[in-house]
Amino acid sequence: VTEGATTGYGYGVLDDYKSLNTYYANGTYYLYDTTKSMSGVIETRTANYGSSLPGNYSVDSNNAFTSTSQGADVDAHYYAGTVYDYYYNTHGRNSYDNNGATIRSTVHYGSNYNNAFWNGAQMVYGDGDGSTFDPLSGAQDVVAHEITHAVIERTAGLRYQDQSGALNESMADVFGYFVEPEDFLLGEDVYTPNKSGDALRSLSNPDAYGQPSHMNDYYYTSSDNGGVHTNSGIPNKAAYLTIQSIGKTKAEKIYYRALSIYLTPTSNFSAARSALLQATSDLYGTGSTYNSVASAWSQVGVN
Ligand SMILES: Cc1cc(C(=O)NCC(F)(F)F)no1
Ligand SMILES: [Ca+2]
Ligand SMILES: [Zn+2]
C-alpha cells in the first residue's frame, strides 16, 4: 500500500494547463499539497454548490483534473501555492500565520455566487454567474487578495470599518498587485467574461470604477462597513504612485514592513502614511525614496 505526494495536472478556469501538487491515497488523488518547505500544507475542497464549509476534498481518480467543473479547484489550489511562495520567497513569511498554517480553500460555494472571501479560517470562492464573474479563484490577484486578508488578521489586524477597513481592503489589493504585477487592475481575469478591458478595481485609476483617489472625495456611508471597498481607492492610488516612483522591489518591502510591524487595528490613512514612512526610513533612510513615499500620500490628500 503506497501513499504520498504526487504531481498531477489540470486545466484552470481559463482552460490553461497547470501542473499540480497532489496527494495519492487508497486509489484517489487529492488537491493536497505537502511540498511547501517549512510545513505549510495547501488543501482545496469543494462545497458542491452548497454553503456548508469546509466541504469535501477536491479529488480525482486519475490525477488529471481536466473537467470543466474542476477549473475552479485547479486554480484555487495552484494560486494558493503561488501566494504561499510569494510570501515565503519575498518576505520570509511561512504561510499567513508565519508558522506554517494550512491554507485551506473551498470552491463551488453557493449558486452563481459573485464573490470570494476569507471567513477567518479559510478562503471561500463562488463560481460567479458567468456574466459578472467567472469562478473567482481563476484570478491570481483575487486569491492573493483573500490570503492577504488572513495575513492582515495575523499582523496589523486592521479593523474592518471606515478608514482602517479601507486600509485593510487596500493592503489586500496592493499585495494582489505584488503577487500578480502584470497590471494595476484587480480581478480582470474573472470579471465580466464577455467583456474585455474591465476589472473589479484599478489601483492606477480608482475613479474609473467609482472609487475616490483623493481625500476630498472620501465617501461617507454606513454601508459596506463605511465604504471599505470604495474608500480603498485613496490608499490604492497612493500605492500606485509609490510603485511608479520607487519600483516594486522597494515598495513591497516597505509595505510588508509597515503591515507586519507598524500598523495597528485602529490605524487610519494618516497613520498608514506614518507607518510607511517609518518603514522606508528603516530600510532606505530619509532620502529620495522617503520623499517619494511622502509625496504619494500628499498627492491623495493624506498628510
Ligand atoms: C463591492 C464588493 C467588492 C468585493 C470584493 O472586493 N470581493 C473580493 C474579491 F476578491 F472578490 F474581489 N466584495 O464586495
Ligand atoms: Ca490584476
Ligand atoms: Zn477584500
Side-chain angles (χ1 to χ4, degrees):
V1 176
T2 63
E3 72 167 67
T6 44
T7 302
Y9 72 95
Y11 299 116
V13 169
L14 303 182
D15 300 323
D16 53 321
Y17 172 90
K18 288 185 170 86
S19 179
L20 298 168
N21 293 320
T22 57
Y23 194 88
Y24 175 79
N26 300 324
T28 298
Y29 294 90
Y30 297 80
L31 290 186
Y32 188 84
D33 179 351
T34 59
T35 66
K36 297 310 172 187
S37 56
M38 312 298 285
S39 78
V41 170
I42 295 167
E43 64 172 48
T44 301
R45 296 165 176 255
T46 173
N48 211 20
Y49 314 104
S51 57
S52 62
L53 297 172
N56 304 314
Y57 278 111
S58 298
V59 297
D60 193 81
S61 59
N62 66 347
N63 214 7
F65 293 74
T66 55
S67 75
T68 303
S69 66
Q70 289 176 310
D73 313 54
V74 164
D75 280 343
H77 196 62
Y78 182 87
Y79 288 138
T82 65
V83 176
Y84 175 92
D85 292 343
Y86 170 79
Y87 274 106
Y88 188 71
N89 297 333
T90 311
H91 304 296
R93 188 180 190 88
N94 175 17
S95 196
Y96 56 85
D97 69 341
N98 199 19
N99 194 33
T102 291
I103 297 176
R104 173 179 288 169
S105 306
T106 298
V107 296
H108 304 306
Y109 175 83
S111 172
N112 294 333
Y113 186 68
N114 284 320
N115 212 341
F117 58 93
W118 170 262
N119 76 350
Q122 64 162 98
M123 274 168 301
V124 185
Y125 298 95
D127 282 335
D129 60 11
S131 175
T132 302
F133 277 109
D134 260 342
L136 281 92
S137 58
Q140 186 180 23
D141 55 6
V142 165
V143 174
H145 176 108
E146 297 309 336
I147 294 175
T148 298
H149 278 309
V151 172
I152 293 165
E153 270 178 15
R154 301 312 186 97
T155 53
L158 289 162
R159 205 172 138 256
Y160 206 64
Q161 183 68 38
D162 303 327
Q163 284 195 22
S164 55
L167 213 44
N168 187 318
E169 269 302 306
S170 175
M171 284 290 176
D173 283 352
V174 171
F175 279 91
Y177 167 79
F178 288 145
V179 172
E180 188 188 46
E182 65 197 18
D183 55 45
F184 286 102
L185 299 172
L186 187 95
E188 71 284 350
D189 290 340
V190 294
Y191 192 66
T192 58
N194 305 315
K195 191 168 153 214
S196 65
D198 62 348
L200 192 57
R201 292 187 285 275
S202 165
L203 275 71
S204 56
N205 186 9
D207 308 72
Y209 296 96
Q211 294 187 279
S213 53
H214 193 283
M215 275 312 282
N216 291 340
D217 301 312
Y218 191 92
Y219 177 54
Y220 292 94
T221 178
S222 58
S223 60
D224 190 30
N225 298 94
V228 299
H229 292 98
T230 302
N231 293 308
S232 55
I234 295 164
N236 280 359
K237 180 73 181 231
Y240 167 73
L241 293 169
T242 299
I243 292 161
Q244 289 300 86
S245 54
I246 67 174
K248 173 179 185 283
T249 303
K250 289 163 88 172
E252 65 193 339
K253 289 185 175 47
I254 290 165
Y255 269 78
Y256 182 75
R257 186 172 179 85
L259 181 64
S260 57
I261 299 178
Y262 296 120
L263 289 171
T264 73
T266 57
S267 293
N268 60 16
F269 289 0
S270 178
R273 181 186 196 273
S274 302
L276 290 159
L277 286 173
Q278 182 60 55
T280 305
S281 173
D282 296 346
L283 294 167
Y284 307 110
T286 54
S288 64
T289 305
Y290 185 95
N291 293 336
S292 293
V293 175
S295 167
W297 286 84
S298 296
Q299 288 177 68
V300 301
V302 176
N303 292 295

